Amino acid sequence: MRVNRTLLSVVLVVVALVIQVSVLARLQLPGAVPDLLLLVVLGLAFVYGHVSGALIGFGAGLLADLAPPADHAAGRYALVLCVIGYLAGLAKPENGQLKSAFVPMVAVVAAAIGSTLLYAMVGALVGDTAARHVGLGNLLFTAAVYDLLLAPFVVPLVMAIARRTVNDPLTDPSGGGDVAAGWLSTGTGLRIGSQRGGLRGRAVRNRAARAARIKGVKRL
């Protein structure tokens, strides 16, 4: 991932995590908690692709695993968001712009249901049976509804911000090195060389003029 994309992803993930922990988690809504972090990962994966989506998802999930008041094993949600980010990145359009809202809405519902199921499955493997006591069906339904209601306000905004870093010449692999190389070749380097050549030419002419004057004096 390029520097600008990485910085932007980190900022968006941290902001989403802070809002989710400090605001959304305290709303005491029935069933699941609206997953703002999941929506940010989806928006970034739609623009950056499956590889970046997997990396962003893993990093975002790991932060969520370590952020208080996390009560589950570290790496559990990182695995979930890594898989979700990878799969969402496979649906990335060629120009990073979705032509209709149907595809992202379906992806949001699928991601909400898939992340809840995968989280519960991983929890069952490590001995966490909290989903059974709450009711898995209730969690799936409320997670899909909450994320679907929140998605129109989050996913398009994240995608619009992320698209600004796609065509950035400083992050373009074809222009990243050319920026520095072009600056060195067309700017300071050639000017210094031309100035040095000019100074040398002037020195030679000055010496020739002095020699001519000396010869003239001697002849007189």
Side-chain angles (χ1 to χ4, degrees):
M1 292 179 61
R2 300 175 178 87
V3 176
N4 287 358
R5 296 187 184 186
T6 303
L7 293 177
L8 176 63
S9 301
V10 170
V11 171
L12 292 178
V13 166
V14 171
V15 171
L17 182 61
V18 171
I19 295 176
Q20 182 167 326
V21 172
S22 60
V23 178
L24 299 180
R26 299 185 179 183
L27 295 178
Q28 301 297 326
L29 297 174
V33 176
D35 200 340
L36 182 61
L37 199 60
L38 174 66
L39 298 179
V40 170
V41 171
L42 289 177
L44 293 174
F46 286 151
V47 178
Y48 294 153
H50 58 283
V51 175
S52 297
L55 295 175
I56 295 171
F58 179 82
L62 189 60
L63 286 179
D65 289 332
L66 300 177
D71 56 352
H72 55 270
R76 181 176 171 184
Y77 200 49
L79 174 62
V80 173
L81 286 187
C82 180
V83 174
I84 296 299
Y86 179 84
L87 295 178
L90 295 177
K92 170 192 172 184
E94 295 182 358
N95 58 354
Q97 297 181 356
L98 297 172
K99 297 181 179 180
S100 66
F102 178 75
V103 174
M105 292 300 102
V106 172
V108 167
V109 174
I113 296 176
S115 62
T116 304
L117 283 175
L118 186 58
Y119 186 83
M121 291 173 59
V122 176
L125 294 176
V126 298
D128 186 0
T129 59
R132 297 180 182 177
H133 301 289
V134 178
L136 184 58
N138 184 32
L139 287 177
L140 293 175
F141 177 76
T142 54
V145 171
Y146 294 155
D147 292 348
L148 189 61
L149 293 176
L150 194 60
F153 304 98
V154 178
V155 177
L157 178 61
V158 172
M159 293 181 65
I161 297 174
R163 278 196 297 267
R164 295 180 177 272
T165 63
V166 172
N167 297 322
D168 190 346
L170 294 180
T171 61
D172 189 1
S174 62
D178 293 339
V179 173
W183 183 81
L184 291 174
S185 62
T186 60
T188 307
L190 287 183
R191 290 181 181 177
I192 292 177
S194 61
Q195 290 175 358
R196 289 178 178 176
L199 291 176
R200 290 177 181 176
R202 291 179 183 176
V204 172
R205 289 193 295 269
N206 291 336
R207 290 177 183 175
R210 289 180 182 178
R213 287 197 296 270
I214 292 173
K215 290 181 180 179
V217 171
K218 290 181 177 179
R219 289 176 181 177
L220 293 174

